[in-house]
């Protein structure tokens, strides 16, 4: 039997009272199961955290001693229990170490996707599929009008840009994917990386994900027009708004983050409309609960075929 109150949103985030734990809490919690290491899902200060090794390692890099009191590192597809709830972490394909969180309680399966993607990505574990009774999915781009383009075709656009490029991207996950894509599909480009991104790259490499040739940014290098691509986090990108001698691009699935009217780079690490429909087909839920975005399009699409509940 599906419990309508199996997870609920309170001031700290998404809470499961049947196991007394939070999923990606927004504020520090006693017990947290964390899907991945992006800051909007992995806050510091939790007492006890359950997550993958990569997620724990990145959180410890970012937060140091405030990352958590206790880390319980769990392998993918290795069930464990919190109270009477059995939990299994399933690869989500979003970034290194990202996990869907499968929760089983009294014979019913609830699958919290966290952020996830279906597009191929050589810098993280590919998504895996499990059947579930309730699919708790992100709905960031759950709109029939939004379909993400092929990332390879997008990255190949930069082959036509002969000036140096200032490429804005989130430092964790996106930057590593971009290094790999550029190295593979625009190999003549010389990749420079902001110093704050380099320690994250080292974690990826240590965990067996080869990114491709890149080096630490040097100011003298960028003074020469030699098809350099300098990857910088958003705060640095914004500070270079008047930079000359470069083509400014921001890699994102969001239209409002595209900064160049002539050249765009639509590369998203989230599911689009078709991806969510594919996920429903693969996981075969009786109900769909939506988070992080507008689930109304899904509610309208499935009508009476599948019950859709908007959690936020």
């Amino acid at each position: 039997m599906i419990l309508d109150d199996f997870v609920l949103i309170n001031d700290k985030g998404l809470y499961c009272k049947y196991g007394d734990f939070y999923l990606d809490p927004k504020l520090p919690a006693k017990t947290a199961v964390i899907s991945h290491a992006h800051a909007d899902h992995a806050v510091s200060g939790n007492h006890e955290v359950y997550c993958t090794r990569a997620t724990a390692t990145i959180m410890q890099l970012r937060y140091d001693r405030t990352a958590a009191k206790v880390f319980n590192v769990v392998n993918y597809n290795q069930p464990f229990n919190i109270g009477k709830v059995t939990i299994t972490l399933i690869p989500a394909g979003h970034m290194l170490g990202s996990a869907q969180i499968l929760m089983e309680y009294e014979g019913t399966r609830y699958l919290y996707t966290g952020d996830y993607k279906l597009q191929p990505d050589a810098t993280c574990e590919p998504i895996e599929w499990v059947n579930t009774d309730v699919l708790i999915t992100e709905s960031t781009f759950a709109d029939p009008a939004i379909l993400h383009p092929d990332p390879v075709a997008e990255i190949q656009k930069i082959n036509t840009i002969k000036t140096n490029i200032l490429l804005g991207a989130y430092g964790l996950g996106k930057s590593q994917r971009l290094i790999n894509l550029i190295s593979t599909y625009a190999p003549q480009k010389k990749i420079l990386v902001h110093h704050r991104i380099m320690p994250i790259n080292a974690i990826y490499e240590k965990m067996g994900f080869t990114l491709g040739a890149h080096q630490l940014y040097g100011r003298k290098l960028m003074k020469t027009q030699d098809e350099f691509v300098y990857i910088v986090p958003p705060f640095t990108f914004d500070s270079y708004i008047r930079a000359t001698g470069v083509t400014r691009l921001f890699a994102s699935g969001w239209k409002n983050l595209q900064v160049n009217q002539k050249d765009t780079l639509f590369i998203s690490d989230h599911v689009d409309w078709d991806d969510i429909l594919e996920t429903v087909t693969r996981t075969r839920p009786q109900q769909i609960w939506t988070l992080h975005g507008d689930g109304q399009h899904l509610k309208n699409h499935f009508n009476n075929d599948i019950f859709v509940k908007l959690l936020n």
Side-chain angles (χ1 to χ4, degrees):
M1 181 179 70
I2 293 173
L3 298 170
D4 188 58
D5 64 347
F6 183 74
V7 291
L8 296 171
I9 296 177
N10 63 26
D11 60 338
K12 287 187 177 181
L14 193 60
Y15 178 63
C16 176
K17 69 177 183 181
Y18 296 94
D20 190 21
F21 60 85
Y22 282 84
L23 300 166
D24 295 345
K26 297 178 180 179
L27 297 172
K30 177 184 175 184
T31 307
V33 185
I34 294 182
S35 66
H36 67 286
H38 280 145
D40 57 336
H41 290 257
V43 300
S44 62
N46 294 298
H47 183 272
E48 188 167 16
V49 165
Y50 294 81
C51 64
T52 64
R53 181 167 300 282
T55 296
T57 302
I58 296 166
M59 288 181 68
Q60 287 163 337
L61 170 68
R62 284 192 150 181
Y63 300 133
D64 198 17
R65 283 180 284 184
T66 66
K69 293 282 187 182
V70 178
F71 273 104
N72 298 285
V73 172
V74 185
N75 294 329
Y76 289 121
N77 298 302
Q78 176 187 310
F80 62 96
N81 285 80
I82 301 180
K84 294 182 179 180
V85 178
T86 300
I87 299 172
T88 309
L89 302 184
I90 311 293
H94 176 62
M95 59 161 285
L96 178 65
S98 63
Q100 305 171 80
I101 299 167
L102 177 64
M103 299 163 284
E104 299 175 79
Y105 181 74
E106 295 186 345
T108 301
R109 293 159 67 93
Y110 305 81
L111 180 66
Y112 168 73
T113 64
D115 291 344
Y116 65 115
K117 84 170 174 292
L118 277 57
Q119 289 183 346
D121 182 350
T123 64
C124 70
E125 307 85 355
I127 191 168
E128 293 183 11
W129 302 108
V130 294
N131 290 345
T132 188
D133 298 300
V134 177
L135 176 67
I136 308 168
T137 179
E138 61 142 310
S139 53
T140 307
F141 293 103
D143 184 334
I146 300 176
L147 298 175
H148 298 321
D150 175 20
V152 172
E154 287 295 295
I155 210 71
Q156 285 176 331
K157 289 177 179 178
I158 71 172
N159 284 319
T160 64
I161 301 173
K162 299 307 178 183
T163 64
N164 292 345
I165 295 171
L166 181 68
L167 180 53
Y170 294 113
L172 173 57
K174 182 82 73 182
S175 291
Q176 292 73 36
R177 187 183 183 197
L178 287 169
I179 292 168
N180 179 264
L181 284 169
I182 295 167
S183 298
T184 305
Y185 299 103
Q188 80 283 6
K189 299 294 184 182
K190 300 174 178 65
I191 302 171
L192 305 176
V193 176
H194 190 272
H195 69 93
R196 292 202 176 185
I197 297 173
M198 291 297 279
I200 300 171
N201 291 358
I203 291 174
Y204 272 68
E205 298 276 357
K206 185 177 180 179
M207 294 195 169
F209 289 88
T210 301
L211 302 180
H214 63 280
Q215 61 180 304
L216 184 65
Y217 164 76
R219 184 176 295 181
K220 289 183 179 179
L221 292 172
M222 282 289 282
K223 289 183 178 180
T224 303
Q225 289 293 338
D226 197 16
E227 297 206 44
F228 285 111
V229 179
Y230 178 26
I231 300 176
V232 300
F235 67 90
T236 303
F237 184 79
D238 291 342
S239 72
Y240 285 163
I241 194 167
R242 295 181 181 176
T244 59
V246 296
T247 298
R248 297 176 80 250
L249 300 173
F250 197 94
S252 172
W254 293 101
K255 285 186 178 180
N256 66 311
L257 294 181
Q258 302 300 319
V259 296
N260 187 335
Q261 292 183 348
K262 179 184 174 184
D263 305 294
T264 57
L265 208 56
F266 283 99
I267 296 179
S268 176
D269 293 314
H270 293 263
V271 285
D272 65 11
W273 177 256
D274 283 353
D275 293 334
I276 296 176
L277 298 188
E278 173 72 10
T279 300
V280 172
T281 299
R282 295 273 197 155
T283 58
R284 302 169 62 186
Q286 298 176 45
Q287 295 188 14
I288 301 169
W289 300 354
T290 67
L291 282 167
H292 310 307
D294 184 3
Q296 190 60 50
H297 289 294
L298 287 170
K299 191 176 182 71
N300 296 339
H301 176 81
F302 287 106
N303 197 3
N304 294 323
D305 294 332
I306 302 177
F307 173 76
V308 178
K309 178 170 70 171
L310 282 57
L311 287 175
N312 56 334

